[in-house]
Amino acid sequence: MGEDVARDPECIFCKILEGDIPAYKLFEDEHTFAFMDINPLNDGHALIIPKDHHPNIFDTPTNVLAPLMETTQRIARAIQNSIAPDGINILQANGHGAAQSVFHVHFHVLPRKNGDDAKLNWGLRPGDMDHISDLAQQIRVAIKD
Ligand code: 5GP
Ligand code: ZN
């Protein structure tokens, strides 16, 4: 990691970036990192984060948001082309009232199923890790340059 990268030692996503806790990584580039959510709403639920720690969208500089959105699009396309959900929502939460639980800015790529009746506060239930690992591999091979 670059020496000028801003990290918060208490932040779970910074710990993933540091390699201190494991993640099913999908993609990374200079500014961004994409990985599977371990409490998925549906198959293929992924998260996109900047390598710098910024708590929410208010604090995130536009030169960080631009590559973040580029990677979000890249991952959304790969999920559509591999998992083929009925639809995809892109979601980003700011503050407890918006059900933000990790204060390192992130975009959810939320695959949707017809009739899943998903709520904005969908509740966190641990997924099956072997299944998430299989899905991650399907998505990885569908990522385009
Ligand atoms: P938020 O509620 O802040 O919008 O979303 C945070 C997301 O991070 C949740 O969907 C939650 O499942 C996910 N999450 C929390 N801790 C971990 C973790 O240690 N690893 C992974 N892969 N995802 C996590
Ligand atoms: Zn962080």
Side-chain angles (χ1 to χ4, degrees):
M1 292 300 169
E3 288 169 11
D4 52 353
V5 174
R7 293 276 157 76
D8 175 347
E10 303 301 315
C11 167
I12 189 115
F13 288 173
C14 285
K15 288 179 185 169
I16 287 174
L17 289 165
E18 293 288 341
D20 291 341
I21 62 168
Y24 296 104
K25 174 179 153 181
L26 297 172
F27 175 85
E28 78 176 302
D29 61 14
E30 186 184 353
H31 300 293
T32 68
F33 189 89
F35 57 108
M36 300 299 279
D37 197 307
I38 54 170
N39 306 289
L41 171 67
N42 279 324
D43 279 0
H45 185 168
L47 300 169
I48 324 302
I49 61 175
K51 289 186 172 177
D52 278 334
H53 180 90
H54 304 284
N56 53 45
I57 204 161
F58 312 123
D59 302 327
T60 306
T62 50
N63 67 344
V64 174
L65 281 177
L68 197 58
M69 187 48 72
E70 191 180 329
T71 301
T72 300
Q73 182 193 45
R74 187 190 298 266
I75 298 301
R77 281 177 170 155
I79 290 171
Q80 192 61 46
N81 290 334
S82 54
I83 311 293
D86 296 322
I88 287 180
N89 287 120
I90 306 297
L91 184 90
Q92 191 277 318
N94 301 284
H96 292 289
Q100 185 179 9
S101 58
V102 176
F103 290 81
H104 180 130
V105 69
H106 52 278
F107 284 93
H108 294 260
V109 179
L110 271 183
R112 298 294 308 279
K113 284 189 223 156
N114 289 328
D116 67 11
D117 197 27
K119 306 282 189 293
L120 273 181
N121 295 6
W122 58 84
L124 301 183
R125 271 183 292 280
D128 178 277
M129 294 305 147
D130 289 340
H131 186 50
I132 293 174
S133 174
D134 286 347
L135 294 165
Q137 185 52 23
Q138 290 178 48
I139 297 166
R140 274 183 213 116
V141 299
I143 293 174
K144 305 257 184 0
D145 290 338

